[in-house]
Amino acid sequence: MAAVFDWIALLVALWLTLGDTQLQQATLHPLVGHIFVHTLDHETFLRPPEDTAVLPSASVTYHAHLQGHPDLPGWLRYTQRSPTKPGFLYGTATAEDRGRQIIEVTAYNRDTFDTTQQKLVLLIQDPEGPRLPYQAEFLVRSHDVEEVLPSAPSSRFLTALGGLWEPGELRVLNITSALDRGGRVPLPIEGRKEGVYIKVGSASPFSTCLKMVASPDSHARCAQGQPPLLSCYDTLAPHFRVDWCNVSLVDKSVPVPVDEVPTLGDGILEYDPFFCPPTEASARDFLPDALVTLLVPLLVALLLTLLLAYVMCCRREGLLKRDLATSDIQMVHHSTILGNTEELRQMAASREVPRPLSTLPMFNVRTGERLPPRVDSAQVPLILDQH
Ligand SMILES: *[C@@H]1O[C@H](CO)[C@@H](O)[C@H](O)[C@H]1NC(C)=O
Ligand SMILES: *[C@@H]1O[C@H](CO)[C@@H](O)[C@H](O)[C@H]1NC(C)=O
């Protein structure tokens, strides 16, 4: 009975591992020039339902890389505060990244040593809607990068910023940890954060308030350690502590003249963001190739063996055949010689003549005693004892 249960458990385990190997797949649509954030939730990777009970304390770490490459593409970064917190893939795609990228994510469950894989298909395309030429970057000192990556805090930031800017659509364009920009890891004191740079874009021009904050006068005051010129009410203040000395504004409303646009048709294909290079080769069947490789030499070897066997066994010139092909006179000649030789041999064996002394073993002349032939001459005494 126990054996039956063992078998069932084995089959279930086998079925679960087979299920594991099936990759989960998700398709995402990052936009060029806009922040892309993908949260790697433990729930997505842990196997329900048995793991859900331990979810809050589950330790999972992730490794993500571009398919066929060891690391992530240049625009995409990965961060995770601790194994019990979710991981994030985030970054801003540039125009060169347009098209299709496949990210493979492996999750390692630190408690059960399970691994799960997921494939993220990123279809990177140009954003629709108006251009966002007015861009401002803020250093938020009160947050770590993981704390502004989820959509709730970043939209709260945009709402709060809307109070400072002309009304219009505000979008987060880029998020960077201050550590990636030369910031320092804070002391482990409650409330100290690494800080994060948030870049925001809008179609509407900067407010006078923002312009004044980023003006050279303001920078000069900052350099002297004085607070900058903030002429308006800091609507971000309670939640987000912005370093008003590190605001930078970029105005891209005047298009920069583009030089050297490659002409289409001259070896340059028309741009197609959804062009998928044929990366996935169709499965090839190597059985015929293998059979040909093995069978042809085998067949040749077999043919040669048969040929050799035929030559050796069937084409052999037997004794009878050779005798038949020889002339009678020659045969008589041969057999006469053979017969005579045989007769001579028999006669030689039977003749009764004493053998010459030289052929006899050594003997004593006086006593006539014959010594058995000495085998080893080294043992024969040189002077024979004569008494
Ligand atoms: C986003 O910020 C990072 C870090 O500062 C920078 O390397 C990257 O070029 C930025 N991306 C875009 C599209 O500006
Ligand atoms: C903030 O801006 C000032 C002046 O522009 C600069 O010296 C300083 O390094 C900046 N701080 C950080 C953390 O980037």
Side-chain angles (χ1 to χ4, degrees):
M1 200 60 192
V4 173
F5 280 125
D6 279 357
W7 268 107
I8 292 174
L10 190 70
L11 283 180
V12 168
L14 203 66
W15 177 72
L16 285 177
T17 28
L18 281 181
D20 242 5
T21 53
Q22 214 170 7
L23 280 190
Q24 302 178 48
Q25 189 164 326
T27 308
L28 302 163
H29 298 270
L31 297 177
V32 169
H34 288 220
I35 186 75
F36 162 77
V37 180
H38 179 67
T39 312
L40 300 172
D41 275 321
H42 293 356
E43 287 90 336
T44 328
F45 289 92
L46 294 179
R47 204 183 298 120
E50 61 220 274
D51 288 340
T52 36
V54 292
L55 255 185
S57 60
S59 305
V60 183
T61 53
Y62 301 93
H63 176 77
H65 64 96
L66 186 63
Q67 192 180 49
H69 298 264
D71 208 348
L72 286 170
W75 64 273
L76 199 59
R77 274 164 289 161
Y78 164 75
T79 181
Q80 187 184 23
R81 183 63 37 176
S82 75
T84 54
K85 301 272 166 60
F88 291 98
L89 287 172
Y90 69 103
T92 309
T94 61
E96 288 92 66
D97 300 313
R98 272 180 297 202
R100 184 163 170 265
Q101 290 183 345
I102 298 179
I103 307 292
E104 284 177 349
V105 183
T106 312
Y108 303 90
N109 189 331
R110 297 281 151 186
D111 304 323
T112 63
F113 307 107
D114 257 354
T115 63
T116 326
Q117 278 202 314
Q118 194 184 27
K119 239 188 198 180
L120 301 175
V121 181
L122 306 184
L123 299 177
I124 305 165
Q125 45 194 312
D126 283 321
E128 284 165 9
R131 285 179 61 238
L132 308 173
Y134 299 97
Q135 301 178 356
E137 193 166 47
F138 303 91
L139 170 57
V140 180
R141 289 197 178 277
S142 53
H143 287 70
D144 287 334
V145 65
E146 290 89 1
E147 292 169 332
V148 291
L149 285 176
S151 62
S154 63
S155 58
R156 209 184 307 138
F157 179 83
L158 288 185
T159 319
L161 187 64
L164 285 179
W165 208 321
E166 302 280 314
E169 197 192 13
L170 289 177
R171 298 291 296 266
V172 177
L173 301 185
N174 205 348
I175 294 179
T176 318
S177 169
L179 297 184
D180 294 342
R181 294 262 198 102
R184 288 201 286 182
V185 178
L187 291 172
I189 300 173
E190 190 68 34
R192 298 251 179 151
K193 299 292 174 141
E194 292 162 3
V196 57
Y197 286 91
I198 302 180
K199 194 178 196 178
V200 177
S202 171
S204 46
F206 302 118
S207 61
T208 41
C209 170
L210 280 180
K211 276 187 199 153
M212 196 177 275
V213 155
S215 68
D217 287 356
S218 191
H219 281 169
R221 284 174 62 106
C222 279
Q224 287 165 14
Q226 290 173 327
L229 299 163
L230 188 61
S231 60
C232 45
Y233 178 67
D234 186 355
T235 47
L236 291 157
H239 284 301
F240 300 93
R241 196 155 49 77
V242 172
D243 185 342
W244 290 108
C245 281
N246 285 72
V247 176
S248 55
L249 305 181
V250 180
D251 185 349
K252 291 188 177 168
S253 56
V254 186
V256 200
V258 187
D259 43 18
E260 280 293 316
V261 177
T263 44
L264 297 180
D266 188 23
I268 297 166
L269 289 179
E270 203 163 324
Y271 179 70
D272 176 10
F274 294 104
F275 171 71
C276 301
T279 44
E280 283 156 25
S282 56
R284 274 184 65 191
D285 189 9
F286 289 104
L287 186 65
D289 290 358
L291 286 184
V292 166
T293 319
L294 286 176
L295 286 187
V296 169
L298 266 181
L299 270 179
V300 171
L302 194 67
L303 273 180
L304 286 178
T305 315
L306 286 179
L307 192 69
L308 196 64
Y310 169 71
V311 169
M312 295 285 282
C313 303
C314 311
R315 299 295 307 252
R316 200 166 145 192
E317 206 174 56
L319 195 60
L320 193 66
K321 196 171 173 188
R322 197 189 61 195
D323 287 356
L324 284 178
T326 320
S327 69
D328 283 352
I329 295 279
Q330 229 176 334
M331 288 304 288
V332 169
H333 193 172
H334 262 290
S335 49
T336 323
I337 292 174
L338 269 181
N340 292 352
T341 322
E342 195 59 27
E343 202 183 342
L344 271 175
R345 286 216 177 110
Q346 275 168 13
M347 284 164 71
S350 63
R351 70 187 154 184
E352 286 299 319
V353 182
R355 292 167 71 187
L357 278 182
S358 61
T359 66
L360 288 177
M362 197 176 163
F363 70 104
N364 193 316
V365 187
R366 248 188 318 138
T367 59
E369 182 196 11
R370 294 188 178 188
L371 286 173
R374 298 268 184 187
V375 184
D376 194 352
S377 62
Q379 287 170 4
V380 179
L382 285 178
I383 301 163
L384 280 175
D385 167 40
Q386 302 193 348
H387 42 83

